[in-house]
Amino acid sequence: MEFNIGDVARMASVSKATVSAVINNRPGVAPQTRENVLRVIKKLNYRPNQVARSLSVRATKSIGLVIKEIDNPHFARVIKGVFSASSRHGYTVILGSSEHSPEKENMSVETLTNQRVDGLIVSPLQASHSDFGYLAQLIARNYPLVTLGEVKNYATNVVDINNEAAAHEAVSYLISRGHQKIAYLSGPAFSAHRLRGYQLALIDHSLPIETKFILDAGPYFENGYTKGKQLFTSSYIPSAVFCYNDLVAIGLVHALQELGFKVPDDVAVIGFDDIDFCQFARIPLTTIHVPAYEIGEKAADLLMRQITNRGNGMVEKNLLDAYLVKRESA
Amino acid sequence: MEFNIGDVARMASVSKATVSAVINNRPGVAPQTRENVLRVIKKLNYRPNQVARSLSVRATKSIGLVIKEIDNPHFARVIKGVFSASSRHGYTVILGSSEHSPEKENMSVETLTNQRVDGLIVSPLQASHSDFGYLAQLIARNYPLVTLGEVKNYATNVVDINNEAAAHEAVSYLISRGHQKIAYLSGPAFSAHRLRGYQLALIDHSLPIETKFILDAGPYFENGYTKGKQLFTSSYIPSAVFCYNDLVAIGLVHALQELGFKVPDDVAVIGFDDIDFCQFARIPLTTIHVPAYEIGEKAADLLMRQITNRGNGMVEKNLLDAYLVKRESA
DNA sequence: TTGAAAGCGCTAACAA
DNA sequence: TTGTTAGCGCTTTCAA
């Protein structure tokens, strides 16, 4: 019931090489023969075994994609972009998710490379305790790789936005609206670049950087909600907060409303990502728009190029535009 | 730089068979030998080639997952569930997305089976014009398969909720609140089971089924928004609408607000899925809660069982609980 | 406890 | 234009 190339060859009275040639429609097969082989293939409903092919050609036509959270619409769009570009090139994508655990990130990469994916796209955790041991390996072996964000000390191909500039823009906007006490609800491990943009904006406007206003939250609704409750029931309260991402911002707004604060009058809130929901949120969210789908697409395209010209050693940085979208929360 | 089992064998002065035994830690290897081999493996940083192994054992330790839309939080949760269960069993997941195109669904399945995934989870399109040609094949070949929803005329393993009952509950609730003119904004191809639940609820309460109130929308925000505008600017208007999913419902609420209708006073809205965002929506959405993560998990677990006891021929139906969550939109 | 050898299903020289 | 043959990197009898 499960036929192989030999069966087809036999039935068509040709050699396996010939069958192989028609399958991969290589030239140099007599029309007659080709047709005949095709007929047999159809009759047998023969499907070439990709894994055998992969072993032989040492390429799997698949790539690995490792993200941080599947259940964040931002990443859903990234996936969709990767997916669409990969399909166009005939590549399959194997998904991995680190769920913010450096160990899982490492494991995912390990698993995927063992599966011999032709290349890897990873959205690296920026956790300081993550050693990125695998990265050195991959780079040394010249493994086709693109990271969705720079990784300190490693020269990788990257597709990203300028997080620092975007954060700077958001905070500067807040300042221009008269805010002086601005907090930052950070993502995991303070999400360095956005934090830096926040700090620089304050500095540029001669505002103090107050450590009490920099809170390590996390990437989810709950984190924004919890940290929000915490911050706004304390004795020292900001008039605006810039958030690591939209989920956190939405969670925060929720907390704020429960505490009786008006957004944006009592406190202004800015998010990051511009997921679709922003416009449907209770208070339409002012946020940084990041072209997630395009990031995914570009990353996959870049990876395809790496796969085909493996080894030129050149590394490519691709920064896409992100910008502030003003809605009602700030 | 890229070593194989032969290299290890040579370096350790043993046979490939022995190396293979220690890799898969099979018993019957002298501790001495094992240790030695392990040392060489470490030294060489040897990684077994999974594709070679797959070819040999005729199993890839990977499954395929074909969903309808990646950018719907509902599916994100399903994926997460599948993912988590699969990882537990050491399986990798290759993602496919039909994007509501029967052709893509077919192609995805084809690609995945060619890649020789050990099993398949698919969220089948219910489009009437979709012939599901691949299903017959798969079933005939006894291919491990679970579908996230029943497929007419095919006996597959399924994990799902009782869509009809859930829709019935939602609509009955609306009726119990005094609504008599209730519309249904359906998903693609009217999403048969939910439509049926809607109709039965009307019938059970002796309410007429009005074709004008059954609109074929689609699965996205825009669909709900557009159809909402259309419906509520027409001359015959319902006082409540039951929606195919939360995205549609949220889009609809948006349209309603733009048109000056108050939700739920002027018109009540009920969604489906209970994605996280429902509670943060402008009008917290009343909806049917569906345990998406669990669906994913169960599906993967069931698939694993199918993979290990392939061929007992028995088919399993697994219906999880879904229930109405009352919030503020109805 | 270990090793030799055949085989998984394909591709790719090379020869015919 | 076609066929023969030798791999690709593993696993798995079977014999030693």
Side-chain angles (χ1 to χ4, degrees):
Chain A
M1 204 62 190
E2 182 87 59
F3 298 106
N4 63 28
I5 202 175
D7 299 322
V8 176
R10 207 168 313 115
M11 275 227 57
S13 322
V14 296
S15 72
K16 295 192 293 172
T18 300
V19 177
S20 178
V22 350
I23 287 170
N24 300 287
N25 46 72
R26 270 192 292 268
V29 178
Q32 279 278 15
T33 317
R34 173 181 306 276
E35 230 172 90
N36 183 234
V37 170
L38 252 16
R39 248 208 7 271
V40 174
I41 286 178
K42 186 130 297 167
K43 173 125 112 305
L44 260 35
N45 193 249
Y46 164 70
R47 295 284 178 259
N49 183 325
Q50 278 302 327
V51 358
R53 167 166 231 279
S54 295
L55 179 59
S56 188
V57 302
R58 298 139 156 278
T60 53
K61 276 291 189 177
S62 71
I63 66 171
L65 171 61
V66 181
I67 58 174
K68 301 182 205 170
E69 323 133 23
I70 358 189
D71 51 353
N72 178 336
H74 167 70
F75 282 109
R77 293 203 62 74
V78 172
I79 296 178
K80 191 165 181 174
V82 168
F83 204 75
S84 140
S86 306
S87 310
R88 262 201 302 282
H89 295 268
Y91 280 75
T92 244
V93 4
I94 306 186
L95 193 60
S97 178
S98 63
E99 303 297 326
H100 295 279
S101 143
E103 295 74 38
K104 283 199 186 173
E105 180 172 317
N106 276 290
M107 272 195 35
S108 290
V109 169
E110 168 103 24
T111 307
L112 292 170
T113 51
N114 286 351
Q115 297 259 30
R116 296 308 193 258
V117 292
D118 294 341
L120 227 30
I121 297 176
V122 4
S123 176
L125 262 20
Q126 300 292 352
S128 47
H129 53 296
S130 148
D131 62 5
F132 288 115
Y134 70 87
L135 267 189
Q137 297 258 342
L138 258 31
I139 294 174
R141 293 167 51 197
N142 214 296
Y143 205 103
L145 169 72
V146 359
T147 55
L148 270 21
E150 306 224 27
V151 183
K152 230 195 328 198
N153 303 325
Y154 290 100
T156 61
N157 294 284
V158 0
V159 174
D160 199 3
I161 57 160
N162 187 329
N163 281 284
E164 187 179 309
H168 191 286
E169 181 180 0
V171 176
S172 295
Y173 174 69
L174 253 12
I175 296 171
S176 79
R177 304 279 286 182
H179 293 283
Q180 307 252 73
K181 297 194 292 182
I182 303 171
Y184 174 45
L185 277 199
S186 88
F190 296 103
S191 31
H193 291 95
R194 294 182 192 174
L195 172 60
R196 184 130 199 79
Y198 159 84
Q199 292 170 323
L200 289 180
L202 294 181
I203 292 172
D204 288 353
H205 295 84
S206 322
L207 255 22
I209 292 177
E210 313 198 51
T211 49
K212 278 188 186 161
F213 282 167
I214 301 180
L215 305 201
D216 193 354
Y220 299 114
F221 283 130
E222 307 76 72
N223 304 308
Y225 179 84
T226 309
K227 287 288 171 177
K229 284 272 170 133
Q230 196 173 305
L231 177 60
F232 286 91
T233 51
S234 73
S235 56
Y236 192 49
I237 283 174
S239 73
V241 8
F242 170 56
C243 299
Y244 170 66
N245 72 15
D246 292 334
L247 300 184
V248 170
I250 290 168
L252 169 64
V253 168
H254 199 63
L256 250 14
Q257 292 187 323
E258 283 189 9
L259 292 173
F261 289 91
K262 294 258 173 292
V263 175
D265 300 333
D266 298 335
V267 6
V269 174
I270 293 189
F272 209 110
D273 284 345
D274 196 20
I275 58 179
D276 286 344
F277 290 113
C278 289
Q279 46 187 314
F280 302 108
R282 214 159 304 175
I283 310 286
L285 200 66
T286 292
T287 189
I288 296 290
H289 177 80
V290 357
Y293 183 85
E294 288 74 16
I295 287 179
E297 267 193 315
K298 295 267 187 211
D301 282 336
L302 176 47
L303 186 61
M304 299 293 127
R305 269 179 278 139
Q306 293 296 320
I307 291 172
T308 42
N309 334 313
R310 182 167 179 163
N312 69 358
M314 252 350 307
V315 135
E316 201 172 306
K317 308 279 173 200
N318 213 329
L319 293 195
L320 306 189
D321 273 344
Y323 49 85
L324 187 69
V325 177
K326 294 169 193 166
R327 281 195 274 253
E328 299 173 25
S329 69
Chain B
M1 206 59 191
E2 182 88 56
F3 298 105
N4 64 27
I5 202 175
D7 299 322
V8 176
R10 209 168 311 115
M11 274 227 56
S13 322
V14 295
S15 73
K16 296 193 293 174
T18 300
V19 176
S20 177
V22 351
I23 287 170
N24 299 289
N25 46 73
R26 269 193 293 269
V29 177
Q32 278 279 13
T33 318
R34 173 182 304 277
E35 231 172 88
N36 184 233
V37 170
L38 252 16
R39 248 205 10 267
V40 173
I41 287 179
K42 188 130 295 168
K43 172 126 114 296
L44 260 34
N45 193 248
Y46 164 70
R47 294 283 177 261
N49 183 325
Q50 278 302 328
V51 358
R53 166 167 234 278
S54 294
L55 178 60
S56 188
V57 303
R58 296 139 156 276
T60 54
K61 275 291 188 175
S62 71
I63 66 172
L65 171 61
V66 181
I67 57 175
K68 301 183 203 169
E69 325 133 21
I70 357 188
D71 51 354
N72 179 334
H74 167 71
F75 282 109
R77 293 203 61 74
V78 172
I79 296 178
K80 191 166 180 173
V82 168
F83 205 74
S84 137
S86 306
S87 309
R88 262 201 302 281
H89 295 267
Y91 280 75
T92 244
V93 4
I94 307 187
L95 193 61
S97 178
S98 64
E99 304 296 327
H100 294 278
S101 145
E103 294 76 37
K104 283 198 187 175
E105 180 173 317
N106 277 289
M107 272 196 35
S108 290
V109 169
E110 170 102 23
T111 307
L112 292 170
T113 51
N114 286 352
Q115 297 259 29
R116 298 305 194 261
V117 292
D118 295 340
L120 227 31
I121 296 175
V122 5
S123 176
L125 297 174
Q126 299 293 352
S128 47
H129 53 293
S130 148
D131 61 6
F132 289 113
Y134 69 87
L135 266 190
Q137 297 259 342
L138 259 30
I139 294 173
R141 295 166 51 198
N142 213 296
Y143 205 102
L145 168 72
V146 0
T147 56
L148 270 22
E150 306 223 25
V151 183
K152 230 194 327 198
N153 302 326
Y154 290 101
T156 61
N157 295 284
V158 1
V159 174
D160 198 4
I161 56 161
N162 187 329
N163 281 284
E164 188 179 307
H168 192 286
E169 181 180 358
V171 175
S172 294
Y173 174 69
L174 253 12
I175 295 171
S176 78
R177 305 278 287 182
H179 294 282
Q180 308 252 71
K181 298 195 292 183
I182 303 171
Y184 174 45
L185 278 198
S186 87
F190 296 103
S191 29
H193 292 94
R194 295 182 192 175
L195 172 59
R196 185 128 198 80
Y198 159 85
Q199 293 170 322
L200 289 180
L202 294 180
I203 291 172
D204 288 353
H205 295 83
S206 322
L207 256 21
I209 293 177
E210 313 199 52
T211 50
K212 278 187 185 162
F213 282 166
I214 301 180
L215 305 200
D216 194 353
Y220 298 114
F221 283 131
E222 306 77 72
N223 303 309
Y225 179 84
T226 309
K227 287 288 170 178
K229 284 271 169 135
Q230 197 173 303
L231 177 59
F232 287 91
T233 51
S234 73
S235 56
Y236 192 50
I237 282 176
S239 72
V241 8
F242 170 55
C243 299
Y244 170 65
N245 73 16
D246 292 333
L247 300 184
V248 170
I250 290 168
L252 169 64
V253 169
H254 199 63
L256 249 14
Q257 292 187 324
E258 284 189 9
L259 293 173
F261 289 92
K262 294 261 173 292
V263 175
D265 300 335
D266 297 337
V267 7
V269 174
I270 293 189
F272 209 110
D273 282 348
D274 195 21
I275 58 180
D276 285 346
F277 190 73
C278 289
Q279 44 187 318
F280 303 107
R282 215 159 305 173
I283 311 285
L285 199 67
T286 293
T287 189
I288 295 289
H289 177 79
V290 357
Y293 183 85
E294 288 73 16
I295 287 179
E297 266 192 316
K298 296 264 188 213
D301 282 335
L302 176 48
L303 186 60
M304 300 292 127
R305 268 178 279 140
Q306 293 297 320
I307 291 173
T308 41
N309 335 313
R310 184 167 178 162
N312 70 358
M314 252 352 304
V315 134
E316 202 171 306
K317 309 277 174 202
N318 212 329
L319 293 194
L320 306 189
D321 273 345
Y323 50 85
L324 186 70
V325 177
K326 294 170 194 166
R327 282 196 274 253
E328 300 174 23
S329 69

